[in-house]
């Protein structure tokens, strides 16, 4: 009696399961799972941070040159103590003038004397120093300008080399004006007005 043949062809639910496990479709499903996994990683939010720094205040300083507590600008300071009439050859007059820095920063200053047009101007010699005055001559201190002649209708540099003055500082200048001993008779009864022009710049 012959034995019935058992078919090797898969059938039923179990056969279909074996077919799915051994066929190409499970690999496609597995690959799909990898793609989904990468997509999930790509959606994670990145961490971040930030910071800000603020500076301090920026401000400007100032320079303020004053003459004996007077601005001297736009109206000139009246240096009335430096005046003399009826001068004769060899005569002189002297007076002091405080130069002050009332600004917030140091500066360097220069000074020149501008004279009106007059034949008398070249015979008037000016001394500028840091000394003291007795009303006629300056004495002591350091001589800054030594017997510099005024220029008729022009300007004479009395402090050509800038002098430093710290903020809040002050120095007193002594001015001595002398009529040259050799002044000719042609300058009799002549007059001249002089402006002492100070200029300050930041140090």
């Amino acid at each position: 009696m012959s034995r019935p043949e058992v078919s090797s062809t898969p059938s039923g639910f179990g056969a279909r399961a074996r077919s799915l496990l051994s066929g190409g479709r499970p690999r496609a499903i597995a690959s799909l799972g990898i793609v989904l996994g990468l997509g999930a990683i790509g959606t994670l939010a990145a961490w971040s941070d930030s910071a800000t720094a603020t500076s301090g205040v920026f401000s400007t300083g100032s320079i303020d040159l004053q003459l004996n507590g007077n601005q001297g600008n736009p109206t000139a300071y009246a240096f009335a103590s430096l005046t003399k009439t009826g001068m004769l050859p060899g005569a002189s007059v002297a007076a002091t003038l405080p130069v002050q820095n009332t600004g917030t920063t140091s500066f360097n200053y220069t000074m020149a004397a501008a004279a009106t047009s007059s034949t008398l101007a070249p015979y008037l010699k000016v001394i500028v120093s840091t000394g003291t005055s007795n009303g006629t001559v300056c004495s002591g201190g350091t001589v800054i300008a030594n017997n510099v002649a005024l220029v008729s209708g022009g300007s004479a540099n009395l402090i050509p080399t800038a002098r430093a003055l710290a903020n809040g500082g002050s120095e007193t200048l002594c001015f001595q004006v002398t009529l040259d001993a050799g002044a000719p008779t042609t300058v009799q009864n002549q007059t001249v007005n002089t402006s002492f022009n100070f200029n300050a710049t930041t140090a």
Side-chain angles (χ1 to χ4, degrees):
M1 182 176 177
S2 62
R3 298 175 61 184
E5 292 183 358
V6 179
S7 175
S8 61
T9 303
S11 61
F13 174 80
R16 287 194 298 274
R18 286 193 298 273
S19 175
L20 288 174
L21 291 175
S22 61
R25 189 173 298 180
R27 287 194 296 271
I29 293 173
S31 298
L32 180 59
I34 292 173
V35 172
L36 290 175
L38 291 174
I41 292 173
T43 59
L44 292 176
W47 288 1
S48 64
D49 194 6
S50 63
T52 302
T54 58
S55 73
V57 175
F58 297 99
S59 63
T60 57
S62 65
I63 60 172
D64 187 6
L65 185 151
Q66 294 193 14
L67 302 174
N68 197 26
N70 190 284
Q71 291 289 341
N73 184 21
T75 302
Y77 170 67
F79 193 11
S81 55
L82 190 67
T83 183
K84 191 172 182 67
T85 58
M87 294 182 76
L88 299 174
S92 64
V93 60
T96 56
L97 179 65
V99 180
Q100 302 150 330
N101 180 352
T102 60
T104 61
T105 187
S106 59
F107 63 62
N108 296 325
Y109 76 92
T110 57
M111 187 265 289
T116 55
S117 296
S118 172
T119 56
L120 175 60
Y123 297 99
L124 291 175
K125 306 296 179 64
V126 183
I127 293 174
V128 179
S129 71
T130 57
T132 58
S133 166
N134 64 4
T136 301
V137 296
C138 295
S139 60
T142 301
V143 175
I144 303 170
N146 192 13
N147 287 317
V148 177
L150 296 179
V151 178
S152 176
S155 181
N157 287 328
L158 299 182
I159 305 180
T161 302
R163 296 181 64 80
L165 197 58
N167 56 303
S170 174
E171 72 173 349
T172 299
L173 301 180
C174 186
F175 292 74
Q176 177 181 319
V177 181
T178 303
L179 178 59
D180 195 309
T185 57
T186 54
V187 299
Q188 293 183 89
N189 297 315
Q190 299 296 306
T191 61
V192 64
N193 293 329
T194 306
S195 299
F196 299 100
N197 302 314
F198 291 79
N199 286 290
T201 57
T202 52

